[in-house]
Amino acid sequence: MKKVSFYFMGLLLVLIGCSDRDDEIVAKQTVCDSANTEFMQLYNQIATNPLSDEQTTIDTEVHGYKFNVTSQKTICSVGYQSNHVDATMPYMIEITNDDSNTIVYSDSHVFSHTTMSYVSLSSTVTLQPNVSYTIKRIQTDWSGNAFNVCGKVMYLSDGNFGYANFLPLSSTDLTITSSVFYTGSPDPSWPTNNFVLPCLDIVFEH
């Protein structure tokens, strides 16, 4: 009986040890959750303003914005709503490190035509704090219709038939500094915009 008890106690200790290690593994798993993201919190902050004006417009191939983070973050997913008449037409998603002038992500993705949808990145993107980045969605297929390159954007009226600047916008982790819209190659002389923001969501791992 004593030998059986010793064997039982040894097996129990092994099982407990495995359980502890399993708990540690579970605790280290990351989550890519698109609910209530940092970007959408800022976007909705403008949307709740009585003077906000969300439209599907701006017929340029590139819609994007510049941003930075306050601590190291990893982008695992991107959300967008397609506006192309062909629901299977992909968009190029490109993320650039502006400080080093390097592309850190570039791949094509298909988004829902009827609602905001999310895609996993083919490789996660790790962002460093206090570095300027630009994220862009690129659609070069016009198919004879300028509306195919338009997208959902948010304006804020100045109450006098114009638009008010509302960028930069900041939360605890994310600052959106300005937006960019152009067709073809970017022209350095074109100013960035502070009065319009494309609805292009980024999801951080948690």
Side-chain angles (χ1 to χ4, degrees), residues 132-205:
S132 176
Y133 295 92
T134 299
I135 182 169
K136 296 177 283 190
R137 72 90 175 124
I138 306 170
Q139 180 56 264
T140 58
D141 187 281
W142 294 67
S143 294
N145 187 346
F147 201 62
N148 282 325
V149 297
C150 291
K152 185 179 292 183
V153 300
M154 183 68 70
Y155 291 99
L156 187 63
S157 171
D158 64 1
N160 192 30
F161 305 105
Y163 293 109
N165 291 337
F166 60 84
L167 297 176
L169 278 175
S170 294
S171 66
T172 302
D173 299 314
L174 173 68
T175 295
I176 302 169
T177 55
S178 60
S179 58
V180 291
F181 298 89
Y182 60 87
T183 293
S185 299
D187 185 340
S189 66
W190 289 3
T192 53
N193 299 296
N194 295 317
F195 60 88
V196 58
L197 179 63
C199 190
L200 175 58
D201 196 5
I202 50 178
V203 183
F204 297 141
E205 283 184 352

Side-chain angles (χ1 to χ4, degrees), residues 25-139:
I25 293 172
V26 170
K28 292 179 181 178
Q29 288 180 341
T30 57
V31 176
C32 190
D33 186 0
S34 62
N36 197 33
T37 63
E38 284 84 349
F39 172 85
M40 288 308 300
Q41 289 177 39
L42 293 175
Y43 190 86
N44 290 330
Q45 177 182 322
I46 301 301
T48 56
N49 190 307
L51 295 177
S52 65
D53 184 13
E54 187 177 54
Q55 302 180 26
T56 300
T57 185
I58 306 186
D59 56 343
T60 60
E61 295 177 354
V62 174
H63 288 202
Y65 56 86
K66 296 179 178 293
F67 69 96
N68 58 69
V69 292
T70 56
S71 60
Q72 183 173 291
K73 295 289 182 182
T74 299
I75 301 177
C76 55
S77 178
V78 170
Y80 193 66
Q81 180 174 346
S82 171
N83 193 59
H84 202 283
V85 66
D86 181 354
T88 66
M89 185 62 65
Y91 288 78
M92 181 66 69
I93 298 297
E94 186 175 285
I95 303 172
T96 304
N97 180 322
D98 300 328
D99 291 359
S100 63
N101 196 30
T102 56
I103 296 174
V104 296
Y105 184 84
S106 182
D107 206 351
S108 60
H109 298 280
V110 176
F111 297 92
S112 170
H113 187 75
T114 58
T115 188
M116 186 85 157
S117 62
Y118 289 82
V119 296
S120 297
L121 301 190
S122 53
S123 60
T124 56
V125 177
T126 300
L127 308 174
Q128 300 303 322
N130 304 314
V131 173
S132 176
Y133 295 92
T134 299
I135 182 169
K136 296 177 283 190
R137 72 90 175 124
I138 306 170
Q139 180 56 264

